[in-house]
């Protein structure tokens, strides 16, 4: 709650690290061979910077992958704990992806390249690390998907 209020204040002051973050959840229905896409903008805008030096080269465990190390080119995102942890994690038939600074209208609506398929112009990121050590905020480390738009 405190982190949320601070975020709103910093966004009004125009702090450049407060950027828009889109969370896309894709739920696959394998029997019907369809996908349902749900997009959510994090509000207030999260604090997004390059990964702090203390996290660089930290080995993180990821399902299905032997070794992943956090690099300096990854992004660190601080989000208030007003969101559930499960909101950020992929589970079962749902895949979660993130987009930093998605195209928005002046009133904050998402601009889709194709509204029917919810296609967006930009790069998506995957969650490689989620820290829950701080009681007021989530710390996410995101890595840009390789060569995909």
């Amino acid at each position: 709650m405190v982190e949320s209020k601070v975020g709103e204040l910093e966004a009004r002051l125009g702090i450049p690290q407060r950027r828009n973050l889109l969370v896309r959840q894709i739920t696959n229905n394998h029997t019907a061979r369809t996908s349902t896409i749900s997009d959510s903008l994090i509000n207030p805008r999260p604090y997004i910077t390059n990964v702090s030096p203390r996290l660089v080269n930290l080995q993180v465990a990821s399902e299905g992958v032997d070794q992943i190390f956090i690099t300096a080119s990854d992004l660190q995102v601080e989000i208030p704990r007003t969101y559930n942890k499960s909101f950020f994690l992929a589970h079962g038939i749902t895949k979660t992806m993130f987009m930093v600074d998605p195209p928005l209208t002046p009133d904050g609506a998402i601009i889709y390249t194709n509204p029917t398929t919810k296609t967006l112009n930009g790069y998506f990121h995957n969650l490689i690390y989620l820290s829950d050590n701080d009681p007021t905020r989530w710390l996410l480390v995101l890595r840009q998907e390789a060569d995909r738009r």
Side-chain angles (χ1 to χ4, degrees):
M1 179 105 155
V2 172
E3 182 69 23
S4 177
K5 294 290 183 191
V6 170
E8 289 174 10
L9 179 65
E10 286 180 349
R12 275 191 250 137
L13 291 173
I15 294 181
Q17 290 85 358
R18 291 283 176 183
R19 298 163 65 187
N20 291 309
L21 181 69
L22 174 89
V23 179
R24 172 167 280 188
Q25 295 177 321
I26 303 171
T27 305
N28 295 313
N29 183 341
H30 296 292
T31 55
R33 295 185 181 190
T34 59
S35 296
T36 305
I37 298 173
S38 170
D39 290 337
S40 305
L41 279 173
I42 300 294
N43 197 11
R45 293 188 301 177
Y47 189 75
I48 302 175
T49 58
N50 286 340
V51 173
S52 67
R54 67 181 177 81
L55 291 177
V56 173
N57 292 327
L58 176 70
Q59 183 176 357
V60 293
S62 184
E63 189 175 320
V65 179
D66 290 336
Q67 293 180 356
I68 294 181
F69 292 92
I70 295 175
T71 65
S73 61
D74 293 334
L75 294 177
Q76 178 175 311
V77 180
E78 296 177 13
I79 298 174
R81 283 220 179 188
T82 53
Y83 295 90
N84 290 331
K85 185 176 183 177
S86 61
F87 179 71
F88 304 111
L89 301 174
H91 47 85
I93 57 173
T94 302
K95 179 181 179 183
T96 304
M97 300 184 313
F98 303 84
M99 180 182 277
V100 177
D101 290 330
L104 300 174
T105 62
D107 63 341
I110 302 166
I111 301 172
Y112 295 105
T113 308
N114 182 346
T116 307
T117 60
K118 292 191 174 183
T119 306
L120 287 167
N121 233 357
Y123 292 99
F124 281 99
H125 294 73
N126 292 319
L127 177 70
I128 61 170
Y129 178 68
L130 174 62
S131 173
D132 55 1
N133 295 338
D134 190 321
T136 62
R137 64 190 166 110
W138 299 112
L139 178 69
L140 286 70
V141 176
L142 305 178
R143 178 168 293 164
Q144 185 172 312
E145 288 186 346
D147 297 328
R148 279 204 247 164
R149 263 189 170 253

